[in-house]
Amino acid sequence: MRIHDGITTLRRLHPDDQPVFLAYRNDPDVARYQSWPQMTAAETAGFLHHCATIDPLLRPDHWTQIAVANTATDALIGDMGLHLSADGSEAEIGVTLQAASQRMGHATRAMRLAVDHLFQTTDITRIIAGADARNTPSLALIRRLGFVQTGVTTVDGVTEIDFEVVR
């Protein structure tokens, strides 16, 4: 997978991404609204190796992490999670960028690329996304992409706003 718009690229994660991936995934400001645990260097190496070799990349009932990269340099600037439902009718999507690459349009471009790719290459009819209710930049991003709010969920005291976009 390699999709780009001239500025932002979606591609497979690979082992060379480890230093940047480890740094932003363990940055408390970046991880503030995420549910992932911190990873050690060894865990990150294993995870990135898995991401680089999994085939096919998009599989029903599995999460797939892909790289968000700067097209000019191919340098990792974040990652995106994609999940296809077990029956292949819908996908879930989410994006995280390192702090230095935020507020530059990369998340918007990455999400647009992923949405277009999913609708063009799979049989899904709906894509869902969610964001912590306190994460106003993510909420604005999702709305800007044409997702419509479908509900509010609170789990363990954390409120998430749920959205969807349909084909």
Side-chain angles (χ1 to χ4, degrees):
M1 166 189 245
R2 182 168 288 276
I3 307 164
H4 66 89
D5 68 355
I7 298 171
T8 305
T9 295
L10 301 182
R11 61 165 172 78
R12 282 184 179 264
L13 285 161
H14 52 72
D16 292 344
D17 293 325
Q18 183 178 5
V20 175
F21 185 89
L22 188 60
Y24 74 77
R25 280 294 191 108
N26 288 326
D27 179 338
D29 290 331
V30 172
R32 177 180 302 130
Y33 303 116
Q34 304 294 342
S35 59
W36 65 61
Q38 287 194 343
M39 297 173 80
T40 66
E43 290 168 332
T44 301
F47 178 74
L48 293 176
H49 174 76
H50 171 75
C51 290
T53 59
I54 192 168
D55 188 37
L57 187 60
L58 297 173
R59 298 175 297 150
D61 205 26
H62 286 86
W63 277 98
T64 299
Q65 295 300 124
I66 59 173
V68 179
N70 178 309
T71 300
T73 63
D74 202 38
L76 182 70
I77 60 173
D79 65 278
M80 176 173 282
L82 304 172
H83 180 267
L84 294 180
S85 63
D87 68 1
S89 67
E90 70 180 30
E92 185 172 353
I93 190 171
V95 65
T96 300
L97 296 182
Q98 66 183 357
S101 297
Q102 295 176 6
R103 295 172 295 286
M104 300 170 74
H106 288 293
T108 300
R109 288 188 294 274
M111 290 279 284
R112 278 193 187 126
L113 288 168
V115 166
D116 290 347
H117 179 73
L118 287 167
F119 280 142
Q120 291 169 7
T121 63
T122 70
D123 293 330
I124 65 167
T125 58
R126 175 173 99 121
I127 299 174
I128 59 175
D132 188 304
R134 300 166 294 173
N135 191 345
T136 54
S138 287
L139 295 171
L141 164 66
I142 294 167
R143 289 183 176 115
R144 187 167 52 252
L145 292 167
F147 282 70
V148 176
Q149 184 173 333
T150 58
V152 177
T153 307
T154 301
V155 176
D156 296 328
V158 176
T159 301
E160 184 171 284
I161 311 297
D162 304 313
F163 296 89
E164 73 174 6
V165 65
V166 295
R167 185 186 311 235

